[in-house]
Amino acid sequence: MSETADQATKICTLIKITRTDGQIYGLTDLDVDILYSSQEYVSASGYSPTDYESSNNLGVSNADITGIFDAAGISKGDAAAGLFDNAKIEVFVYDWGSGQLVRTLATGWWGEVRLFENKYIAEFRSLTQKLNNTVVEVITQTCNATFCDSRCTLLAADFTYEGEVTAISVSATTNVFLTDLANFADDVFRVGVISFLTGANANSSFDIKKSYANGSIQLYNQTPYNIAVGDTFSIIEGCNKTIETCVARNNVDNFRGFPTVPNPDKAFRIYSE
């Protein structure tokens, strides 16, 4: 009995993070660093991870990974720049007494890493979730091309502008701010992307939730660093993927949707006499 208990006290968890550029980070919940298979796992004993959900469906689960970033010394700038998006995650059970790997607990990928209420949140996508990926072209009423890609054929430069932050709404940490781009209609930049050129968030890009004719911009997510008056940026218009937008931009020949196809509700509706 005592031998079993002694073995249990020598068990710890290893977390291996492999970015898409090949950079590897290793963490352990043990109170000392571990070197295993030529990879150093830095002690992160103060980190208590949120639970990963394990199920037999194809869904994803969210996890607060702020503690992982803090323990590994990962900067907010690297996270905001998307360097950890789609990183491969491996979680192991390790016997530090014998120096042997006991088992693999989980293998998967992070989705987009985003900042929410001052915490970094990432979707954990397991191997089975890959079965939920679309690998063929799907017929939809809206366009399935990415705005300004090779299938769209429009040039991003024709829809990109530069501007400057002129005021902050309520506080510096908000995701709403005013710019000097006041000559555009409401929502011209909706679902577009803003990329900061200067300031604390320089070299980071963010998705736009709303834009207004007075030059106000609202982002989907909070920025990792305070936005300040005088920060400069480049911004690209958004695309709502509709045939009407393609017509307005004289690009209807490259529209990749099927607007006349009835949606499922209409196609399978049972009509009564």
Side-chain angles (χ1 to χ4, degrees), residues 127-157:
L127 293 173
T128 57
Q129 204 277 331
K130 282 184 170 290
L131 297 174
N132 202 32
N133 292 343
T134 301
V135 295
V136 296
E137 187 168 327
V138 178
I139 294 177
T140 60
Q141 292 180 322
T142 55
C143 182
N144 57 28
T146 299
F147 185 43
C148 293
D149 70 359
S150 60
R151 299 170 70 230
C152 170
T153 75
L154 293 176
L155 300 177

Side-chain angles (χ1 to χ4, degrees), residues 161-166 177-181 194-204 206 227-235:
Y161 311 89
E162 292 192 358
E164 182 177 320
V165 177
T166 58
F177 52 93
L178 193 66
T179 74
D180 57 358
L181 299 179
I194 185 170
S195 302
F196 285 94
L197 304 176
T198 61
N201 295 292
N203 302 315
S204 297
F206 305 92
I227 299 172
V229 172
D231 288 355
T232 59
F233 58 84
S234 68
I235 189 170

Side-chain angles (χ1 to χ4, degrees), residues 205-227:
S205 299
F206 305 92
D207 295 328
I208 300 169
K209 184 176 183 179
K210 294 281 291 182
S211 69
Y212 302 89
N214 67 349
S216 182
I217 300 292
Q218 180 180 5
L219 305 180
Y220 274 102
N221 298 312
Q222 180 185 342
T223 56
Y225 302 106
N226 292 347
I227 299 172

